Structure formats: C-alpha cells, structure tokens
Amino acid sequence: MMPRLRQSLRALRVGLLLLAGSLPLRAQTRYPVAGNEKPVALLQQKKDTYLVTQQSVFRLEHKQFVRKYQSTAPIQCAVSTDTVLWLGTQRGAMRLNTHHFKARSQTLPTSAPDASITTLFQDATGSVWLGAAGEGAFCYAQGAVRKELSIPSVNTGLATADSSVWIGTNIGLNRWHRQQWTRYNEEGVANHEIPDNIVEKLLLDTKGNLWVFMSAGISVFSGDAQQQAAEHLPTVTFIGKPGNEVYSVAYLNGLGHVFATAMGLLLLPAEPAGHFESLEPTTDQVAPKQLLVPLPSSVAGTPKASSAQLIRVDEKQRVWLASAGEVSVWTAKAFHHLLPPKAAPTLRAQK
C-alpha cells in the first residue's frame, strides 16, 4: 500500500474513533412493544426472553417482541420454568406452554379456585409457590399443589439463594427455612423484628439482598446475613419521598443500587465496601439530595426508559429496562455513563 494512502486511512480511522467518542451514548437496543401495557415481568427461559404485561405474553424474536398469548384476565405476576410460563391473574393461575402457547388453568385446593393470584415464584428445588388473595400460600411440586401457609392476606413472596422462601402478609413476614417457619413482625419475638406488620412487596437485587417494603418502612436483609442468622439491616422509611412506589431494584457493579420508581430511576451509589454499613439504626429516610441520584428524565433520547417499571441485569451485565410500550437494553458501560458528572459515589446516613 502506498505511504500516503496508508496515512490517509490511518487518519480516517482516528477521525472515526474520535467522532464515535463524541456521539451521545444510546441504549444498545430499543424494542417497541405493542399495546402500551404495563410490564409485569421480564423472564428468561433457556435462550428465550419473554416480556409479560398486564394482558399479554411477548417473546423476543428477530429483534422484536412478538405477542404470543393474550389473557382474558389481567396478569399480576409471572414466573418461568423449563417449558412453562406460570401466569398469576385476577381470576386464578394459568400454565402457558411455550411450545404451542396454549394455557391451562391451575386449580388450587381452595373453596375459591379462581382467587386472585398475588405472587408467583420458584424456589431452589424448582417448586413453584403461589399466593392467593384470601386463601394463603401454596406450593406446586411433582404435579401436585399443597397448601403451605394458612394466612389469607398473602401480598408478596420470593426465594433467596440460601433456599429460604419468604412470604409477605398483612400480619408480618414469614420465612420457610430448614423445614420450619419463622415469623418477623412488629412485636419482634426473639429478635425477629420488622417495623411494620403490613408487608406490601419483596424485591431481590442482583447481590442477593432482600428488600422488604412495608407500609411504614423498608428493611434490607443482606445476602451474607441470610446464610447466617438472617438478621435485617437498619430500616429507612422511604425511597425518594413519602409514598413513592418502588417497582424493582438491581445492583450494578461499581455503580450501586438502581431503583425503578414512580419518581423515575433513582441511584443509591455504592461505597467502596460495605455500602449498607453506613446506614445508622436511627436512619429515618433515604433522601434524594443526600443519598439518591436521579438518572436523566430523558435517557439518551428514550424518555420511556426513565419511567421503567422493571429493571433486570443479565449474565452479561447488560441492563434491561421495561416500561409501557418499550424495552431498552444497555451495555454496562453505557449505563454507567448516564450518571451526572458530579454525582458523588458516596453514601451517608441521613438522620
């Protein structure tokens, strides 16, 4: 190759790299989703990705979400097993086969088989747990359903890595571990205390921390503590502002916790180590000016991302954000660059 031509090509390559560095960072991929329905769950089944919304089930096919099933009853929760998607609706539980996308009702041993399903999740053994309004908590294993907890007001539930099953109710938090139930409530028997009996939501972040959202506070059980005595960390009263609803939470390495909330995406920056340790037992709130960093309301030209109700981090550390009508996927590097330049990655307790 002639020297001048080689120099010109090298200059062109450098120019393109400089131009690429000056362009605004964008979501790696944007997927519009038909129907503009509220997202319920982002699920992975082998190599397939599913988006469950209030009325539909979509599968990611050839760079678009294709509707595969439409429910006659509003969907409230969902979980994926090897070949079946479980859907919890306002009129009972459904099992959706992902080969032919035909749904079958799953009868529960109750007097109200079409009771509203409030929670669905899978435990470490592969068993599927269901919470039914007014009926209690049930477990599906080896083709049969059995009742596990006779508390009518089951609001939420999930399983953690230590093989525990957690059920949130209107009269406290229940943990099934080593073949016995432990109850956490406001009265605090044997140090099993939480600030409020009404447990509205349980969320698990990508570090294994369990977030317990109650009507009068938020408690965090650390992933490490779950393997020991499962004692909870100090309580805060809200994220963002009083009454702000938190939809989901994820932990991003080197960044911190990102909450998808009614106020938008809020970052709780991480400390170099032990980011929960600086929260004092007397902490009253996590206040946005002192602790939380709002991510931009218009995320690189995709305003729907800021109103995301689901946030998930996959095995490649990509960040998935789902909002009504859109799913966006970010590389970890691109998402890190969403932070305002002067955002301090420190955590201070606000008394």
Side-chain angles (χ1 to χ4, degrees):
M1 186 180 291
M2 297 176 62
R4 276 187 189 176
L5 180 56
R6 188 181 296 112
Q7 291 175 0
S8 298
L9 289 174
R10 186 180 298 115
L12 177 60
R13 188 180 299 116
V14 172
L16 289 173
L17 289 173
L18 291 173
L19 177 62
S22 67
L23 290 175
L25 288 166
R26 288 182 166 271
Q28 185 182 35
T29 316
R30 274 181 67 191
Y31 302 107
V33 180
N36 205 42
E37 301 166 7
K38 177 184 175 181
V40 171
L42 268 170
L43 303 173
Q44 196 72 29
Q45 189 185 83
K46 298 179 181 177
K47 294 184 178 181
D48 290 323
T49 298
Y50 292 91
L51 171 68
V52 180
T53 66
Q54 275 191 316
Q55 296 290 157
S56 308
V57 175
F58 297 85
R59 185 168 66 187
L60 185 57
E61 298 178 357
H62 307 296
K63 298 185 179 180
Q64 62 178 336
F65 278 96
V66 178
R67 183 185 278 116
K68 310 300 290 187
Y69 175 77
Q70 200 153 15
S71 175
T72 56
I75 302 170
Q76 303 183 129
C77 46
V79 70
S80 171
T81 62
D82 287 341
T83 58
V84 172
L85 297 184
W86 286 73
L87 308 176
T89 79
Q90 291 182 5
R91 295 198 296 272
M94 309 290 294
R95 297 173 62 198
L96 182 66
N97 189 296
T98 53
H99 293 303
H100 48 65
F101 291 96
K102 291 182 180 179
R104 291 177 51 194
S105 297
Q106 177 61 58
T107 303
L108 301 181
T110 72
S111 57
D114 59 348
S116 177
I117 304 300
T118 55
T119 188
L120 265 174
F121 61 94
Q122 193 173 26
D123 68 16
T125 69
S127 300
V128 174
W129 290 69
L130 308 90
E135 300 293 336
F138 302 82
C139 180
Y140 176 90
Q142 298 178 345
V145 181
R146 64 181 184 272
K147 193 168 191 175
E148 294 289 355
L149 198 61
S150 297
I151 295 178
S153 57
V154 173
N155 301 325
T156 181
L158 53 74
T160 49
D162 65 343
S163 301
S164 292
V165 166
W166 302 79
I167 302 291
T169 76
N170 281 356
I171 54 174
L173 175 65
N174 296 271
R175 179 194 186 208
W176 174 254
H177 185 57
R178 296 179 180 173
Q179 302 302 305
Q180 66 178 7
W181 286 103
T182 301
R183 183 179 169 210
Y184 298 78
N185 59 11
E186 192 174 353
E187 291 72 27
V189 179
N191 293 325
H192 301 304
E193 183 175 359
I194 53 177
D196 188 14
N197 284 335
I198 302 177
V199 179
E200 299 172 339
K201 186 179 294 184
L202 298 175
L203 295 175
L204 192 67
D205 67 28
T206 39
K207 287 199 77 173
N209 300 309
L210 173 67
W211 293 74
V212 184
F213 291 82
M214 295 154 283
S215 60
I218 303 166
S219 289
V220 185
F221 291 76
S222 78
D224 292 337
Q226 287 170 24
Q227 297 173 10
Q228 301 167 13
E231 295 304 319
H232 69 280
L233 278 85
T235 299
V236 296
T237 54
F238 56 83
I239 297 290
K241 67 179 182 180
N244 182 37
E245 184 176 1
V246 178
Y247 305 125
S248 58
V249 58
Y251 184 83
L252 304 179
N253 292 331
L255 193 60
H257 286 86
V258 178
F259 299 90
T261 80
M263 290 177 60
L265 296 175
L266 301 176
L267 169 69
L268 182 62
E271 286 184 334
H275 55 280
F276 284 129
E277 293 174 2
S278 60
L279 284 175
E280 299 292 336
T282 54
T283 298
D284 289 325
Q285 65 183 30
V286 175
K289 290 185 179 178
Q290 285 77 21
L291 296 175
L292 296 173
V293 180
L295 297 187
S297 58
S298 179
V299 182
T302 62
K304 284 191 175 183
S306 62
S307 61
Q309 293 182 302
L310 292 177
I311 179 168
R312 182 171 71 86
V313 180
D314 64 19
E315 66 281 356
K316 296 180 180 179
Q317 290 299 300
R318 294 176 302 181
V319 181
W320 295 66
L321 299 175
S323 56
E326 181 181 286
V327 174
S328 58
V329 187
W330 301 76
T331 63
K333 182 178 180 180
F335 200 86
H336 278 54
H337 280 82
L338 293 178
L339 273 179
K342 296 182 180 180
T346 57
L347 181 63
R348 300 189 303 276
Q350 175 70 24
K351 296 184 181 180

